[in-house]
Amino acid sequence: MKKSLRKQVLQELKSLSKEEKQSMNDWLTEQFFQHPFYKEAKTIATYLSFPHEFQTAKLIEQAQKDGKTILIPKTYPHGKMDFVLYEPEKLERNSFGLLEPKGNFSIIEPSLIDLIHVPGLAFNPSGYRVGYGGGYYDRYLEHFPGHTISTLYPCQIQDFQPEHFDIPVEEVLIYEKDF
């Protein structure tokens, strides 16, 4: 079920026009900056996005201007993931094609992270998500004490039953305007 849902949503995401995506990204980024979770956070973990995903570059840039500490994921085999300081000069592409930290980096303890901006392909109305299938975020979020938020395009809201190990995102921002 998750495999076909991933394929369907990925296809829908890739079919969005550049203009649609830009409009939705701008609106969602603004909603993110207005959210109390963002305003209260000092340390924010986010992700470096694929072209078909919500684009995080402006979010990262503005958060840094706002004095926030930005973290990005570092993944390891067997679904393990840590968050490390975002240092653009220390990035390289991993086996999934994502930019990830290389060399020496400092792992930040989960208790020091105020907010995680969680990626995903599909989300149900209760905030449960379907990611890319590695289980990295579900494992990490299982014991994470801070806030979680996701930014979604309308096609990412899907009706599915979560599995027992799935961890919901606390707050989901969904693009709501007409084009």
Side-chain angles (χ1 to χ4, degrees), residues 3-97:
K3 190 175 181 179
S4 63
L5 186 59
R6 278 186 194 100
K7 187 177 179 180
Q8 173 205 326
V9 173
L10 196 53
Q11 200 169 15
E12 288 181 47
L13 288 170
K14 288 180 176 180
S15 72
L16 292 169
S17 74
K18 189 176 179 180
E19 295 76 22
E20 287 174 312
K21 283 190 59 141
Q22 187 62 55
S23 176
M24 290 189 284
N25 283 334
D26 290 348
W27 190 88
L28 287 166
T29 301
E30 188 55 39
Q31 296 304 306
F32 186 89
F33 291 143
Q34 291 176 17
H35 198 283
F37 289 175
Y38 174 80
K39 290 179 179 182
E40 296 165 11
K42 290 178 179 54
T43 302
I44 298 172
T46 190
Y47 54 97
L48 301 175
S49 43
F50 283 120
H52 60 268
E53 293 178 310
F54 168 82
Q55 295 300 293
T56 58
K58 283 185 182 177
L59 187 149
I60 291 169
E61 184 181 326
Q62 185 60 51
Q64 288 178 313
K65 286 179 185 173
D66 291 344
K68 314 280 186 186
T69 299
I70 300 299
L71 309 176
I72 58 169
K74 170 65 181 162
T75 59
Y76 308 94
H78 310 295
K80 182 169 170 23
M81 178 176 75
D82 287 315
F83 282 101
V84 303
L85 284 175
Y86 172 63
E87 298 174 281
E89 69 281 1
K90 291 185 178 181
L91 298 176
E92 69 179 1
R93 295 227 179 260
N94 67 14
S95 60
F96 299 109

Side-chain angles (χ1 to χ4, degrees), residues 78-81 83 110-111 113 116 118 128-129 134-148 163-170:
H78 310 295
K80 182 169 170 23
M81 178 176 75
F83 282 101
S111 63
I113 303 171
I116 297 178
V118 183
Y128 286 94
R129 56 182 281 286
Y136 293 97
Y137 278 86
D138 286 323
R139 285 184 191 88
Y140 195 91
L141 295 176
E142 187 175 5
H143 303 290
F144 176 66
H147 293 297
T148 55
E163 296 186 50
H164 70 281
F165 50 79
D166 289 338
I167 305 294
V169 174
E170 192 176 354

